[in-house]
Amino acid sequence: MESNVAEHSAGSEGQVSGAKVIAQALKTQGVRYMFGIVGIPVTEIALAAQELGIRYVGMRNEQAACYAASVIGYLTGRPGVCLVVSGPGLIHALGGMANANMNCWPLIVIGGSSERSQETMGAFQEFPQVEACRLYSKFSARPSIIEVIPSIIEKAVRSSIYGRPGACYVDIPADFVSLQVNVNSIKYVECCAPPPVCMAEASAVRLAASILRGARQPLVIVGKGAAYARAEEGIRRLVEQCRLPFLPTPMGKGVIPDNHPNSVAAARSRALQSADVIVLFGARLNWILHFGLPPRYQPDVKFIQVDICAEELGNNVRPAVTLLGDINAVTEQLLEQFDKTPWQYPPESKWWKTLREKMKSNEAVSKELASQNSLPMNYYTVFYHVQDQLPRDCFVVSEGANTMDIGRTVLQNYLPRHRLDAGTFGTMGVGLGFAIAAAIVAKDRSPGQRVICVEGDSAFGFSGMEVETICRYNLPIILLVVNNNGIYQGLDTDTWKEMLKSRDATTAAPPMCLLPHSHYEQVMTAFGGKGYFVQTPEELQKSLRQSLEDTTKPSLINIMIEPQAMRKAQDFHWLTSSKM
């Protein structure tokens, strides 16, 4: 349905600029948040958006802006907007678009582009932007006239949230931004409805319930698709009612609280390797789940695959049954089957006993590592002290190699959509953008809610200047930089100095090493936040406590750990091949 909203956009003598048409079209589609870096030709679009009440957050790098906008889509179910300038500005945002598409998160990118009259002439920052974005998005278009902008933006928003969510791109020629058109010629399209709720075939649901009843060693895997679908209540009820063990994927953490008695995350390897029936709720059989293939799984394991995307069903393995539909709705369908004919997996079974024994063994190893008193600290010591003080409702953002992998096993999540990390694409550099978006949403929903961003020192370097953005908007973020002087591992100061006595760093320094003893906390204090440099558990506890108590300023805690610290021995790593 179209409507004329001239009263919102009228300029002098009934004229309206392209910038205001774009802003009003976004507002009409329910867009609330915009992130970006302004410049020629998009500055006026940001100003027009602010005039209409759209929250604009100016970032320091387009990649970080795009990462932030994509998180808005995941947390709210409606896309955030990333606004970028032409050419290099748009190219910088492609990383965020690719990440959003791989994570299946709604996102709208609006890019300025060269003027129509200068096409093919070598215009300022001229680039085939629409064509380039097709590789990274579900929808990519350039309006031919200003009058079609509202319908294109509606289609972009709708495409971003319907089916499998993803990124969409709208290209805006520079001359459109200031061009004036008759206000009566603009027809705004009514806000697109929420995605239709699809349900699985009844016969497939009955078959899935039958297969689950016959399982000897069942397992439920909860993915971030289940978190996005707001399926937490139904999945928790299914797990509890049927007494099933469950395992969350990294961003599936919190759909059911990590401290739930049915969680077998501490026995992840054993659970995957030995299960005979696995129910996948919005989790893909990609590299994170080892493609569903032996030796990570039994050769004859039966998968029950629940997904919104038909093309995902049957990837890498042939499922015993596929349930195509909205994950929340399909979960309710499964619950109906077990309500009609109640069934519970016996908690005294050998399977439960095996899992609990493995969990107890792994947890003991982790606690032993955490209790080591030697300095510098190791990862486990750091994370156990951090976990002791984390608010239960905080957002946990994490990126890095060992920092993220070990952190996800120790740092607990109790609420859905409160864990954000490198995700399906394994993207480094997402942390601060994710944290900024989470903090903006938290401020709107629950003032006082904190965002804890746990970064490796290498990961922090990708977008560290966004600390200025955090301080400029005074966001409730605590940054923890777990500093081992390198990528995966580094060198201590003495070894570094000795190594460089007679050789140049470009030939002597191992590629994974960073400058030892870097004071990242001074980046925060440079912009008016609080910075802490810690080397002992006592200093870590004190600085984190002070950071949590002080709600007036963001803070950064630079935590020095053993440069050679690594994870504990695992049956296998997340990646198919071992890391260094």
Side-chain angles (χ1 to χ4, degrees):
M1 181 183 296
E2 296 183 345
S3 59
N4 192 321
V5 288
E7 65 271 20
H8 295 297
S9 307
S12 59
E13 300 180 358
Q15 298 287 296
V16 62
S17 70
K20 291 191 174 183
V21 171
I22 294 164
Q24 183 60 58
L26 292 170
K27 179 76 171 179
T28 303
Q29 294 307 316
V31 169
R32 297 178 59 198
Y33 304 95
M34 178 182 287
F35 301 80
I37 298 178
V38 295
I40 298 171
V42 300
T43 302
E44 290 79 7
I45 297 174
L47 292 169
Q50 283 184 314
E51 287 179 9
L52 294 177
I54 295 174
R55 307 277 296 278
Y56 176 80
V57 179
M59 306 283 283
R60 301 303 300 266
N61 180 279
E62 288 92 353
Q63 273 194 11
C66 207
Y67 295 143
S70 68
V71 164
I72 293 295
Y74 177 59
L75 296 180
T76 70
R78 303 291 293 196
V81 168
C82 177
L83 179 68
V84 297
V85 299
S86 51
L90 184 276
I91 292 169
H92 291 167
L94 292 179
M97 292 179 69
N99 191 67
N101 244 22
M102 295 297 289
N103 275 341
C104 309
W105 290 351
L107 167 70
I108 304 296
V109 174
I110 294 179
S113 61
S114 50
E115 295 187 15
R116 293 171 297 165
S117 63
Q118 297 175 354
E119 283 190 29
T120 75
M121 296 176 64
F124 175 65
Q125 297 184 333
E126 184 176 2
F127 186 74
Q129 296 179 185
V130 175
E131 294 84 351
C133 288
R134 287 199 177 105
L135 288 173
Y136 305 91
S137 63
K138 295 180 66 180
F139 172 79
S140 181
R142 175 181 170 105
S144 56
I145 56 175
I146 289 179
E147 284 79 1
V148 301
I149 285 175
S151 62
I152 284 181
I153 286 179
E154 187 276 339
K155 184 169 184 178
V157 171
R158 178 162 40 87
S159 298
S160 77
I161 61 176
Y162 277 35
R164 171 180 277 179
C168 293
Y169 176 67
V170 179
D171 193 75
I172 303 297
D175 49 309
F176 275 16
V177 176
S178 57
L179 185 64
Q180 300 281 321
V181 297
N182 191 304
V183 71
N184 293 320
S185 69
I186 305 297
K187 307 295 181 183
Y188 293 93
V189 183
E190 186 178 349
C191 183
C192 66
V197 176
C198 306
M199 302 176 73
E201 292 182 6
S203 59
V205 176
R206 290 192 295 269
L207 177 58
S210 174
I211 291 173
L212 193 53
R213 292 177 197 275
R216 292 175 291 104
Q217 297 180 165
L219 178 67
V220 169
I221 297 180
V222 183
K224 70 173 175 291
Y228 179 81
R230 273 64 176 167
E232 53 266 20
E233 185 177 335
I235 292 177
R236 179 170 182 169
R237 185 180 154 208
L238 180 68
V239 163
E240 291 178 346
Q241 185 172 318
C242 298
R243 296 185 176 178
L244 296 168
F246 78 91
L247 177 72
T249 64
M251 272 189 277
K253 284 165 62 70
V255 171
I256 305 174
D258 282 341
N259 63 346
H260 193 282
N262 289 34
S263 172
V264 294
R268 179 184 186 274
S269 299
R270 182 63 55 86
L272 295 179
Q273 283 180 319
S274 303
D276 67 336
V277 173
I278 297 178
V279 187
L280 295 165
F281 284 108
R284 290 171 280 179
L285 292 175
N286 55 21
W287 66 275
I288 292 178
L289 290 176
H290 315 291
F291 313 108
L293 299 173
R296 272 58 175 178
Y297 296 83
Q298 292 295 311
D300 57 351
V301 62
K302 296 178 179 178
F303 286 103
I304 298 170
Q305 200 169 1
V306 186
D307 206 284
I308 191 67
C309 178
E311 290 82 359
E312 188 61 42
L313 302 174
N315 262 356
N316 300 322
V317 302
R318 185 178 181 86
V321 60
T322 59
L323 302 177
L324 176 64
D326 175 81
I327 295 170
N328 191 38
V330 174
T331 304
E332 293 299 326
Q333 288 180 280
L334 284 169
L335 281 166
E336 287 177 10
Q337 293 297 313
F338 293 112
D339 286 340
K340 290 177 184 176
T341 309
W343 170 81
Q344 289 183 337
Y345 184 73
E348 67 283 356
S349 67
K350 183 179 178 181
W351 177 230
W352 263 119
K353 182 181 178 182
T354 298
L355 292 172
R356 289 188 177 114
E357 287 176 351
K358 187 61 176 174
M359 289 168 62
K360 186 176 180 181
S361 171
N362 286 345
E363 287 168 351
V365 172
S366 297
K367 287 179 181 178
E368 181 182 354
L369 287 166
S371 64
Q372 292 178 4
N373 296 319
S374 59
L375 294 177
M377 295 179 284
N378 64 42
Y379 287 102
Y380 289 88
T381 303
V382 169
F383 290 134
Y384 273 99
H385 285 297
V386 170
Q387 175 59 34
D388 280 345
Q389 295 191 50
L390 283 191
R392 291 178 68 88
D393 67 343
C394 72
F395 286 91
V396 176
V397 181
S398 185
E399 65 170 328
N402 295 329
T403 297
M404 182 176 64
D405 290 347
I406 297 173
R408 71 164 61 101
T409 69
V410 181
L411 303 180
Q412 302 285 289
N413 286 92
Y414 307 101
L415 297 171
R417 298 169 297 281
H418 278 59
R419 165 84 191 195
L420 300 163
D421 69 18
T424 306
F425 214 25
T427 309
M428 290 296 101
V430 297
L432 273 68
F434 281 8
I436 288 167
I440 294 290
V441 171
K443 265 191 166 183
D444 284 353
R445 288 182 179 173
S446 179
Q449 189 176 19
R450 308 307 294 273
V451 176
I452 313 297
C453 184
V454 186
E455 301 270 301
D457 51 327
S458 172
F460 176 75
F462 280 82
S463 54
M465 194 51 66
E466 297 302 338
V467 167
E468 188 273 333
T469 308
I470 292 170
C471 290
R472 187 174 0 123
Y473 293 101
N474 197 29
L475 298 174
I477 296 172
I478 299 173
L479 293 169
L480 306 179
V481 178
V482 184
N483 189 350
N484 70 345
N485 301 337
I487 303 169
Y488 303 126
Q489 56 190 20
L491 298 175
D492 61 69
T493 304
D494 291 341
T495 304
W496 176 266
K497 288 181 179 178
E498 184 67 28
M499 180 185 64
L500 297 184
K501 276 184 177 179
S502 59
R503 296 175 64 190
D504 182 80
T506 57
T507 57
M512 70 285 296
C513 289
L514 300 174
L515 187 67
H517 231 62
S518 294
H519 282 267
Y520 297 110
E521 78 285 353
Q522 293 180 8
V523 178
M524 179 64 82
T525 58
F527 298 113
K530 292 287 188 70
Y532 302 88
F533 182 80
V534 306
Q535 296 177 285
T536 69
E538 294 75 23
E539 291 172 347
L540 173 58
Q541 290 172 322
K542 181 180 179 181
S543 61
L544 183 54
R545 182 171 59 253
Q546 290 176 348
S547 297
L548 289 167
E549 289 172 353
D550 185 356
T551 59
T552 63
K553 289 184 177 181
S555 60
L556 188 155
I557 305 174
N558 186 14
I559 307 165
M560 301 305 301
I561 67 168
E562 167 57 49
Q564 299 295 310
M566 297 293 284
R567 72 184 74 212
K568 70 181 179 69
Q570 300 277 359
D571 294 334
F572 49 78
H573 296 300
W574 285 86
L575 294 176
T576 305
S577 57
S578 297
K579 295 177 182 176
M580 293 181 63

